[in-house]
Amino acid sequence: MKEYKTITEISGPLVFAEVDESIGYDEMVEIETADGETLRGQVLESADDLVAIQVFEGTSGIDRNASVRFTGETLKMPVTEDLLGRVLDGSGNPIDGGPDIVPDERHDIVGEAINPVSREYPEEFIQTGVSAIDGMNTLVRGQKLPIFSASGLPHSELALQIARQATVPEEDEAGEESEFAVVFGAMGITQEEANEFMADFERTGALERSVVFMNLADDPAVERTVTPRMALTTAEYLAFEKGYHVLTILTDMTNYCEALREIGAAREEVPGRRGYPGYMYTDLAQLYERAGRIDGREGSVTQIPILTMPGEDDTHPIPDLTGYITEGQIVMDRDLDSKGMEPPVNVLPSLSRLMDDGIGEGLTREDHGDLKDQLFAAYAEGEDLRDLVNIVGREALSETDNKYLDFADRFESEFVDQGFRTNRDIDETLDIGWELISLLPKTELNRIGEDLIEEYYVEDAGVDGDAGSEEAPADD
Amino acid sequence: MSQATDVAAEDRGQIESVSGPVVTAVDLDARMNDVVYVGDEGLMGEVIEIEGNVTTVQVYEETSGVGPGEPVVNTGEPLTVDLGPGMLDSIYDGVQRPLDVLEDKMGSPFLDRGVDAPGIDMEQTWEFEPAVEAGDVVEPSDIVGEVPETQTIDHKVMVPPDYEGGEVVAVEAGEFTVEETVVELDNGEEIQMHQEWPVREARPVSEKQTPTEPLISGQRILDGLFPLAKGGTAAIPGPFGSGKTVTQQSLAKFADADIVVYIGCGERGNEMTEVIEDFPELPDPQTGNPLMERTTLIANTSNMPVAARESCVYTGITIGEFYRDMGYDVALMADSTSRWAEAMREISSRLEEMPGEEGYPAYLAARLSQFYERAGYFENINGSEGSISVIGAVSPPGGDFSEPVTQNTLRIVKTFWALDSDLAERRHFPAINWNESYSLYKDQLDEWFEENVSEEWPERRQWAVDVLDEESELQEIVQLVGEDALPDDQRLTLEVARYIREGWLQQNAFIEVDQYCPPEKTFQMLGAIRKFNEEAFEALEAGVPVDEITSIDAAPKLNRIATTPDDEVEAHVEELKDDIETQLRELY
C-alpha cells in the first residue's frame, strides 16, 4: 500500500491529494495525522493526478504533512449474526464494551439495486397494534413507510411502540416462530434521545434481537452519510441471507440530508432546491429502495425512516423527495398532539400505498377496505364541517352534518387516541371503526357494500352518543 | 443492446477522471452519443461531451471502484435498441437489457455490473409467413411477412427504413431466428426480422394526421369529461400519494390500444414488481388473453443508475414506434417524466453546465417537446396507419404546478389530468380535479362518441360540466353561510352534483366490476342522475321540500350503479329511472 504526503488543499470535510497511480471512485482512504491519529475517508472524485477525499471524522488535526493511504477497496461492513444485541458507532465500530466483531462476510455498503424481476410483491400484513396505522394505513412486510414528524412531537414513542408490538397475526396463529430483528440507525440524534431508545430496548428485552448504530449529534456530520448504509447492509444480510424479518428504523433522515448538503457545499456543487444537492432524490432512493422481499428468500426488510419536517412543511425537499420514493407516510400533527392525543397521527394526509393488497378477506378481514374508505371520507367531511361551525355555529347545520361532527370528535378520541402502551389487535380496531361509523345513518355509507353494512352495522350506536337529536320524523 | 457482441474496429482511450456516473476519457476517438464500454469491467456508457482530447461519458452502471487509467472502448455506434419479435412480454431496464436474462446471467437477485444482453432473444426461432413473393417490388418500411409474436399480436416483418428496396429474389416460409435472412432483394439487401434503431432518433413516417378516435380508458372521468385521442398526448401531474401510478396502471390495463409500452422511470421497485406479477395474470379486456401479451415493460427503478433513467423514455418510445410502423395503436405510459428531467439535471450539473430554472438544464423544454412530438396519429411510409399516444406522469415538488417540468409539459400536451391531494385525502379516486383538468381533443372526438355511443353524448357531458361548475360556485357561498341558508333550488343542485361526484366520477380500481367502465355504461349512469335531476326539479316546483326529495328510496342507489355488471346496467338504469319517477311523483 502506497503512502502519500501530497495533500494540497483541506476545505471543510474535504481533503485533496496528488497521486501518481489510479485510485478507484468510492475507494476507502486512511489519513494519519502528525499526532498519530488515523482518520477514515472515501474518494469522492478521482482524476489522473488528484483525488478529492471526504473525511468521515472531520478534517481537524490534518495538515499538509499528514500521510494518505489508499486501501484499494470500497467501504465494507463486516456482517455476522453475532451483531444482534450489539451497539455500534456510526461507522460500525462497537461502543458497548463487548468483544470485537468477527465477521462472517464483508459486504459493500453501497449495495446493489434489487432486480425488479427478482422482487416479491409485499402483501403480508404486519399488525402494529396501533389503530391509526393498522386500520387506516396498514403496514406490510417489505414496505418502506416513513414517519413525517416535526421537532417536539413524539415520533420516537411511536417508532418504539411499533418495534415493540409488531407481529404477523397469520404466522402467530399457525404457530410459526418468525425470526424477527430490529436494525436501528441513529443519525445525529441527541444523547438524551439515544438514551431513551436504549432504555426502552433494554427494558423490553428487544436489544438482544437488535443491532444499533449510533451517530450522535456531536459525532462528525459526514459520518452520517455512512451510518444508514451500514445499517441497511446489516439488515439485508440478516434478511436475505439469514432469514430474519428485519424492521429497520432510521432516525433522523433530516440530519442525513443536512450532511449531504454540507458535503455538496464543500465541493462547490451547483445546489438544487434550498441548497440541497440535485442528486438528493437518487441518493435517498438508494437508501429507501433497500427495503423489500426477494423471491425465494425467507426474510424481508421493512423500513420506518423518521424525519422531522423543517417548519412542518411537507413541501420541503426532504419530506417531498421522501414521499415520492417511499410507499406512503404516517403524518404526525402538532394540533392533535396539543389535544393530548397519543399517537398524534393525522390519518388524512397519511397513506400506505401497499395497503390495498395487504388487507381484506384472508389477510385482515373482509370489511376492512370498505370500512377504511368510509372512515376516511367521513372524517374528512367532519373536518370540513368544523371550519364551518366556527363561522355559523352548530345550530345552523343539518342533523346529518351534526352527526358527522360527532363522528369526527369520537374518531379522534376513541379510534386514534389509544395511548402508547395499548396494543389493539386488528379485530378490535375494526370493531371500534364500526361502532363509530354507525353514528351515521346507513344511507350515508356509500363506500361500503350493502352486505357488509348488513353484517357489521351497529344499530343503536347513535343513541347513547347524543341525546339532543333522537326521534327524528320516524313516528308520525 | 447488442453492441457487446460485435465490437469490431475499436478505438481505445483511457479514463482521466471519475465522478459518480460521469467519466472523462482521453485519447478516445468518438462521435457524440457513441456508446462506449468503460473500465476493466466494461460498463456501458454514452458520449455526451467532447472537448479537445477529452471525451465525457455518462455511464449506465454504478462506477464504484473504477479509476483513472482504465480503458474506454468505443463501439462507434449510437445507443440503439434491438427491434424484432420477442419484445412483447418482456421486461427491460433503461437500456433495453432484459431483466430476467440479467437475473440468470448474474445468478443473483441484485443487479451486478458489466453484464450485457441483447434486447431480443437471438436464438429463438419464429414461424415466418411471407406476404410477398419473388418478383414483387418492395420499398423501405414495406411489410414482407409476419410472425405470431404472442397470441394477441402478429408481428409484421418490415424492410428497414434505411434500405433502398427493390425486387424480391428469394423468400421462404418457415422457422427462422431473428438474425437469419428471410427475404433477399435484387440489389443484394437482405432482410431479417431483427432491426436496430438509434433511440434518440424518431423513426420516419409519411405524414402526421389529426387524431379523431378516442383512446377509451374505461375511466369515467377520463372518457366522460376529459377524453384522450389515439395519437394524443396527456400529462398527469400530482403530488405524491395522489394516485398517478394507480391511474397510469389502470390505463395500461384497460386502454383500448393494441400495444402498451409501460415505462417505470425512476419509480419504486415494489410498484414495478406489482406490474410484473399482475400483468401476466390479468386478462386484456379486448381479447381476454393475458395483458403481458400486448405489453412491454421498462423498469428503471429509482435506485438503478441515473444515466439509464435518462435513456429509458427513448428506449420505450422507439419500441413503440416500431409497432406503430406495423399499423398498430400504441399507448405509452411514462411514470414519471419528472424523474427523467431530474436525471438530465443531475448529469448536467456533473458536467458543470450553466443551470436554467431550478437547476434544470436550459435544454429541458427542448428535450420534453422532442419527446412528446414523437406521439401522434401517423400515416406510415408503408401506407398503414398507426398511432402512439403518450401519457406522462409528472411529479412536481411539493405539488406545485408552477415548477419547470410541469409548466414545460403543459405547453406541449393537449390533455391535462390534474391530480388533487384534497380529493386523495378523502379517498375520492381517481383524484382528478374536474375544475382544473382539460382536454383539447374533446371537440374533435365528439363525432366518434355520437356515432358509437349516443347522439346525446356531447350535450349530456356539457350538462354534467355545468352542474359541477355551479356546484363549485355555490360551495364558496356554503363555506361562508352554511348549506341551510341557500334557496331550495340551489340546495338541490348541490345534491345532484354530489351524485355526479360520488356516484359517477368516483371509480374503485379495486372492485372488479368497477375498474373498467365501457363508454356506454358511463353514458347510462350519467343518464340516471340526469333523470333524477329533471324529476327532482319538477317535484320542487310542485312544492315538495328538498329533504323529502333526497330521501326517496331510489336516491342512494344512484351511488351504486357502478357496481352493476356491464351487461345488466341498461336494464338496471331503466328500472331505477322508473323508480325515481314514481317515487318522486308520489310526493305531490
Side-chain angles (χ1 to χ4, degrees), chain A residues 453-467:
Chain A
I453 296 185
E454 204 60 41
E455 190 174 344
Y456 291 101
Y457 190 81
V458 185
E459 284 299 340
D460 46 4
V463 179
D464 53 25
D466 54 347

Side-chain angles (χ1 to χ4, degrees), chain B residues 13-208:
Chain B
Q14 294 89 41
I15 297 178
E16 189 199 39
S17 75
V18 185
S19 163
V22 174
V23 167
T24 60
V26 288
D27 301 332
L28 183 71
D29 188 12
R31 291 169 304 176
M32 273 298 268
N33 297 108
D34 276 356
V35 168
V36 296
Y37 288 97
V38 174
D40 297 329
E41 290 174 87
L43 310 180
M44 196 165 131
E46 184 180 357
V47 174
I48 52 170
E49 196 176 80
I50 298 171
E51 205 180 326
N53 191 27
V54 180
T55 308
T56 307
V57 176
Q58 63 176 2
V59 182
Y60 294 122
E61 298 178 77
E62 183 66 47
T63 52
S64 281
V66 175
E70 292 185 33
V72 178
V73 181
N74 186 15
T75 63
E77 277 184 58
L79 183 63
T80 58
V81 285
D82 294 308
L83 301 168
M87 292 192 292
L88 296 176
D89 200 4
S90 288
I91 300 148
Y92 296 119
D93 78 350
V95 285
Q96 212 210 3
R97 296 181 301 178
L99 286 171
D100 48 348
V101 176
L102 293 188
E103 186 186 26
D104 288 347
K105 279 191 163 183
M106 292 169 183
S108 151
F110 294 96
L111 288 168
D112 204 351
R113 310 189 298 189
V115 180
D116 203 350
I120 51 177
D121 191 336
M122 298 292 172
E123 323 283 65
Q124 192 185 345
T125 58
W126 301 89
E127 180 72 44
F128 176 73
E129 181 66 41
V132 290
E133 36 189 66
D136 287 356
V137 175
V138 293
E139 289 179 16
S141 206
D142 277 358
I143 292 163
V144 295
E146 51 181 56
V147 296
E149 185 172 357
T150 63
Q151 293 174 61
T152 316
I153 296 296
D154 285 328
H155 186 102
K156 312 272 194 323
V157 180
M158 296 175 289
V159 182
D162 48 1
Y163 274 25
E164 276 176 24
E167 193 183 313
V168 175
V169 291
V171 56
E172 204 182 336
E175 294 267 327
F176 297 96
T177 69
V178 293
E179 287 183 307
E180 283 170 327
T181 300
V182 289
V183 175
E184 278 174 52
L185 303 184
D186 59 350
N187 61 3
E189 284 175 333
E190 296 178 341
I191 298 163
Q192 296 97 19
M193 296 180 214
H194 173 229
Q195 296 189 14
E196 283 182 25
W197 193 262
V199 295
R200 293 183 200 279
E201 196 179 311
R203 284 175 68 86
V205 288
S206 169
E207 195 189 7
K208 194 166 181 170

Side-chain angles (χ1 to χ4, degrees), chain B residues 156-459:
Chain B
K156 312 272 194 323
V157 180
M158 296 175 289
V159 182
D162 48 1
Y163 274 25
E164 276 176 24
E167 193 183 313
V168 175
V169 291
V171 56
E172 204 182 336
E175 294 267 327
F176 297 96
T177 69
V178 293
E179 287 183 307
E180 283 170 327
T181 300
V182 289
V183 175
E184 278 174 52
L185 303 184
D186 59 350
N187 61 3
E189 284 175 333
E190 296 178 341
I191 298 163
Q192 296 97 19
M193 296 180 214
H194 173 229
Q195 296 189 14
E196 283 182 25
W197 193 262
V199 295
R200 293 183 200 279
E201 196 179 311
R203 284 175 68 86
V205 288
S206 169
E207 195 189 7
K208 194 166 181 170
Q209 299 178 338
T210 307
T212 52
E213 235 184 273
L215 184 78
I216 297 296
S217 64
Q219 307 301 304
R220 285 187 288 274
I221 184 162
L222 305 186
D223 295 340
L225 295 183
F226 312 111
L228 174 65
K230 284 197 173 120
T233 50
I236 318 182
F240 59 81
S242 55
K244 282 184 296 296
T245 302
V246 177
T247 311
Q248 289 274 36
Q249 288 187 7
S250 291
L251 285 166
K253 286 175 194 166
F254 304 119
D256 69 336
D258 301 312
I259 304 285
V260 170
V261 180
Y262 190 93
I263 308 172
C265 174
E267 287 289 307
R268 304 174 182 87
N270 281 332
E271 264 167 14
M272 288 317 296
T273 307
E274 185 187 11
V275 175
I276 293 166
E277 284 183 11
D278 279 0
F279 276 34
E281 313 272 313
L282 292 169
D284 171 354
Q286 268 77 43
T287 61
N289 298 329
L291 269 179
M292 268 317 275
E293 311 248 304
R294 65 164 195 180
T295 309
T296 296
L297 293 176
I298 296 175
N300 207 82
T301 58
S302 56
N303 57 339
M304 284 158 76
V306 67
R309 197 191 307 160
E310 195 271 332
S311 65
C312 68
V313 296
Y314 296 107
T315 301
I317 201 154
T318 309
I319 292 174
E321 283 174 339
F322 190 61
Y323 284 100
R324 175 209 62 202
D325 285 348
M326 299 177 202
Y328 288 117
D329 291 318
V330 179
L332 179 136
M333 287 91 195
D335 183 16
S336 144
T337 57
S338 292
R339 305 296 160 232
W340 167 44
E342 278 163 14
M344 275 189 242
R345 174 168 73 182
E346 193 171 328
I347 289 166
S348 159
S349 98
R350 299 246 186 208
L351 291 175
E352 295 174 0
E353 291 175 340
M354 184 72 78
E357 210 180 339
E358 290 198 20
Y360 286 104
Y363 46 78
L364 172 72
R367 293 273 169 91
L368 281 171
S369 48
Q370 276 166 8
F371 170 69
Y372 280 103
E373 271 303 286
R374 290 172 77 168
Y377 194 96
F378 295 98
E379 190 187 318
N380 295 321
I381 299 179
N382 58 23
S384 64
E385 286 185 3
S387 68
I388 299 188
S389 319
V390 173
I391 301 139
V394 185
S395 317
D400 169 15
F401 290 174
S402 67
E403 58 91 41
V405 182
T406 315
Q407 283 307 313
N408 284 312
T409 304
L410 287 184
R411 293 222 308 268
I412 313 155
V413 300
K414 297 182 82 177
T415 306
F416 172 53
W417 298 322
L419 292 168
D420 186 320
S421 54
D422 273 353
L423 292 172
E425 277 188 15
R426 55 185 66 215
R427 301 323 191 239
H428 174 113
F429 287 116
I432 296 171
N433 183 311
W434 47 90
N435 292 316
E436 282 180 46
S437 304
Y438 58 80
S439 165
L440 299 179
Y441 297 110
K442 216 165 47 184
D443 298 331
Q444 70 208 56
L445 298 178
D446 273 351
E447 204 176 319
W448 188 93
F449 282 110
E450 282 170 21
E451 242 167 65
N452 292 279
V453 186
S454 163
E455 282 285 319
E456 290 168 43
W457 180 279
E459 195 243 330

Side-chain angles (χ1 to χ4, degrees), chain A residues 414-442:
Chain A
E414 290 170 37
F415 191 87
V416 181
D417 182 12
Q418 65 178 86
F420 287 120
R421 305 255 158 234
T422 313
N423 188 357
R424 284 182 188 158
D425 68 21
I426 184 68
D427 279 317
E428 201 179 338
T429 292
L430 294 177
D431 289 345
I432 297 173
W434 274 105
E435 183 78 28
L436 296 172
I437 205 71
S438 303
L439 293 169
L440 302 174
K442 282 185 192 170

Side-chain angles (χ1 to χ4, degrees), chain A residues 63-78:
Chain A
D63 61 10
R64 291 182 49 195
N65 293 320
S67 62
V68 180
R69 280 193 302 269
F70 296 93
T71 62
E73 57 170 32
T74 50
L75 187 51
K76 302 267 199 299
M77 171 74 203

Side-chain angles (χ1 to χ4, degrees), chain B residues 520-588:
Chain B
E520 291 77 14
K521 185 174 171 185
T522 298
F523 181 74
Q524 283 155 353
M525 285 175 67
L526 192 56
I529 300 172
R530 194 170 186 190
K531 173 76 178 172
F532 172 80
N533 179 66
E534 284 162 10
E535 292 292 335
F537 272 95
E538 267 177 42
L540 188 70
E541 243 168 65
V544 184
V546 176
D547 292 337
E548 276 182 45
I549 294 176
T550 54
S551 52
I552 59 167
D553 288 347
K557 291 193 183 138
L558 288 172
N559 282 334
R560 295 188 187 271
I561 313 175
T563 51
T564 313
D566 296 350
D567 50 348
E568 295 166 25
V569 78
E570 190 165 2
H572 175 79
V573 164
E574 285 314 313
E575 194 186 328
L576 183 58
K577 282 182 177 172
D578 288 344
D579 288 351
I580 290 172
E581 193 175 302
T582 0
Q583 290 172 13
L584 282 176
R585 292 190 183 179
E586 273 170 12
L587 297 173
Y588 57 94

